[in-house]
Amino acid sequence: MNRKTLAAGTAAALVLAAAGGAKAEDLTLCWAAWDPANALVELSKDFTAQSGIGMKFEFVPWTNFADRMLNELNSGGKLCDLMIGDSQWIGAGAESGHYVKLNDFFDANGIKMSDFVAATVTGYSEWPKGTPNYWALPAFGDVVGWTYRKDWFERPDIQAAFKEKTGRDLTPPQTFPELKEIAEFFQGREIDGKTVYGASIYTERGSEGITMGVMDVLYSYGFKYENPEKPYDMQGYVNSPGAVEGLEFYKSLYDCCTAPGASNTYMGEGIDAYKSGQVALQMNFAFTWPGFESDPNVGGGKTGYLVNPAGPTGERFAQLGGQGISVVSYSEKQDAALQYIKWFAQPEVQQKWWSMGGFSCLRSVVEDPAFAASQPYAQTFLDSMAIVKDFWAEPAYATLLQDAQKRFHDYVVAGNGTAQEALDGLVEDWTVTFEDEGKL
């Protein structure tokens, strides 16, 4: 998913990336500007020490990342030797010839996709989906989950007030109705002399934010992109009764339980709202969790981590984030770029990547018996990655995403029309795109 610039530390990475002139043997790795990129700069120093190949980095804020890098790829540009591209780009990267197919390289170097978490292989590496055609190595696992103010939940006065209001104990929500009930309880409540609000959810219109938030709910309400038996047959799946109910729920959560001025919020705004003590619950990608754990205001046991709640039938899914790392086909340094891929795939490198705040996708790392206890959020990450679904990875994903952004924001935030009308319109929009591509 596209991610925003999220931390002051990003500036440090950009300075590191710019330091010194490029040498002929330098590789340039392109990614978004966020905390994990800073960690990768540090990790990659080991690659340079071992190989003698210098590393440069081109990091672009998430708000501009897709436009900047897709333009670079579509123009056949040679800026990037390695690209950590968004999960939805894999179709376009493969079909448009932007990425080098890695099957032969993997085979020659003993890199097995079965060694990586299956969902990340499907999400970040495969095209067409479900086939053993690989265009990237899983690089950074990510998924939408929830954080909650554990310290607030455990306060006797708050527990008593919740019990009096609802008749049940205040416990971390396991279903979306429970989450909303908790958010309504905290909305406008005064805690330690400060007015707080229920939840921070995604509403951002410009890139992908509200779609990532809405889909995170709709999957568990029964939404499907298409008929499992007939590709691109969307009628009754995208706009199913369950999907309509899920979209209505998302709007009701926005209307009842968000802070004033939350009409265009995504990852960065969610982080700020949560760290500042403004909200009790926060929807965000897992990459944010290490930062919360170390934060003086919400770290040190004050934060709890939740798998996405279940829908009305008990189904539970979560929106996939994360990216794979690809070799750009226009690079004149493909051999050196492949050398980096081989180095990055090593178990000891992946273990260090996790320890530095990178979310490894290597099974030997995440399935190690010690992994679940290695961080307070590690088990939640594992459980979340086991239930992921992703947005269209079609070559036309950008158009499909723009349609979703408009339909969802117009209904949820602007209050135009009904959920049924929004999803019916989305079927119409997506049908046009697939017809133009000759797929319908």
Side-chain angles (χ1 to χ4, degrees):
M1 308 297 108
N2 297 345
R3 317 282 182 261
K4 286 191 172 183
T5 306
L6 298 167
T10 297
L14 294 170
V15 171
L16 281 167
K23 295 178 288 187
E25 65 273 23
D26 284 350
L27 288 173
T28 298
L29 186 152
C30 296
W31 199 11
W34 59 331
D35 281 351
N38 303 338
L40 190 62
V41 171
E42 293 301 312
L43 182 70
S44 297
K45 291 178 180 178
D46 292 347
F47 171 74
T48 297
Q50 294 173 25
S51 68
I53 298 171
M55 294 296 298
K56 293 185 64 195
F57 300 89
E58 185 75 18
F59 296 153
V60 178
W62 274 115
T63 45
N64 304 318
F65 181 56
D67 287 345
R68 172 71 180 88
M69 291 306 170
L70 290 175
N71 285 338
E72 176 69 20
L73 293 173
N74 289 330
S75 67
K78 298 180 180 178
L79 169 66
C80 308
D81 303 300
L82 291 156
M83 174 77 74
I84 302 184
D86 215 351
S87 58
Q88 289 94 0
W89 301 5
I90 201 73
E95 292 195 11
S96 300
H98 300 324
Y99 293 162
V100 173
K101 190 175 182 180
L102 296 174
N103 288 59
D104 291 345
F105 173 75
F106 286 166
D107 290 343
N109 290 277
I111 298 172
K112 300 176 182 177
M113 288 294 95
S114 59
D115 290 340
F116 291 82
V117 175
T120 69
V121 175
T122 298
Y124 311 151
S125 302
E126 290 179 357
W127 189 262
K129 297 300 182 185
T131 70
N133 295 282
Y134 306 120
W135 307 88
L137 183 87
F140 188 88
D142 207 358
V143 59
V144 175
W146 294 78
T147 50
Y148 69 97
R149 286 300 299 266
K150 186 178 178 182
D151 55 336
W152 294 357
F153 277 49
E154 293 175 347
R155 282 174 52 160
D157 59 326
I158 292 176
Q159 289 179 337
F162 185 81
K163 185 70 173 280
E164 181 179 355
K165 181 177 181 179
T166 68
R168 70 178 185 91
D169 292 333
L170 178 57
T171 57
Q174 296 301 307
T175 68
F176 279 113
E178 287 178 1
L179 185 145
K180 184 181 176 184
E181 184 179 50
I182 292 169
E184 287 177 320
F185 168 77
F186 279 103
Q187 183 75 1
R189 182 166 294 274
E190 186 174 298
I191 297 179
D192 297 332
K194 179 179 178 180
T195 300
V196 305
Y197 301 94
S200 173
I201 63 175
Y202 293 162
T203 59
E204 182 262 357
R205 170 70 176 84
S207 62
E208 62 161 23
I210 195 167
T211 300
M212 296 300 98
V214 166
M215 295 315 307
D216 196 54
V217 172
L218 260 59
Y219 296 137
S220 299
Y221 275 78
F223 172 101
K224 291 182 174 60
Y225 285 101
E226 56 192 339
N227 182 344
E229 306 299 324
K230 186 179 179 183
Y232 309 110
D233 176 18
M234 297 171 286
Q235 189 66 41
Y237 294 89
V238 167
N239 56 351
S240 68
V244 171
E245 183 183 354
L247 186 55
E248 289 172 344
F249 173 86
Y250 199 86
K251 176 170 175 53
S252 73
L253 189 61
Y254 170 73
D255 288 341
C256 79
C257 304
T258 56
S263 61
N264 192 40
T265 60
Y266 199 16
M267 294 169 293
E269 292 81 6
I271 290 171
D272 292 343
Y274 188 72
K275 284 186 174 181
S276 66
Q278 193 175 20
V279 294
L281 296 154
Q282 183 225 193
M283 162 191 279
N284 224 327
F285 283 96
F287 84 89
T288 61
W289 298 348
F292 294 144
E293 202 55 33
S294 62
D295 185 81
N297 294 323
V298 298
K302 296 178 181 177
T303 290
Y305 304 91
L306 295 174
V307 179
N308 205 36
T313 66
E315 285 194 312
R316 187 192 295 254
F317 298 102
Q319 174 61 49
L320 180 70
Q323 304 89 31
I325 182 169
S326 300
V327 176
V328 177
S329 63
Y330 314 114
S331 167
E332 296 175 348
K333 305 171 186 176
Q334 291 183 21
D335 289 344
L338 289 167
Q339 193 173 337
Y340 185 92
I341 297 275
K342 181 179 179 180
W343 167 82
F344 187 70
Q346 295 176 94
E348 60 270 24
V349 175
Q350 287 293 305
Q351 183 62 57
K352 187 171 183 179
W353 181 220
W354 166 251
S355 71
M356 296 176 71
F359 281 77
S360 174
C361 304
L362 191 66
R363 289 176 58 196
S364 66
V365 174
V366 302
E367 294 177 3
D368 186 299
F371 180 85
S374 64
Q375 293 290 349
Y377 48 79
Q379 186 63 56
T380 304
F381 172 69
L382 286 179
D383 294 342
S384 298
M385 290 300 293
I387 59 168
V388 291
K389 290 179 178 285
D390 199 11
F391 190 76
W392 293 108
E394 292 283 328
Y397 107 91
T399 300
L400 302 169
L401 180 59
Q402 289 169 356
D403 292 336
Q405 284 287 103
K406 183 178 189 308
R407 294 289 183 181
F408 292 152
H409 200 275
D410 283 355
Y411 169 67
V412 172
V413 176
N416 297 330
T418 67
Q420 185 72 63
E421 290 168 346
L423 292 172
D424 288 348
L426 194 56
V427 171
E428 294 174 5
D429 296 339
W430 286 353
T431 297
V432 169
T433 297
F434 290 130
E435 284 177 343
D436 289 346
E437 289 201 325
K439 294 180 176 179
L440 280 174

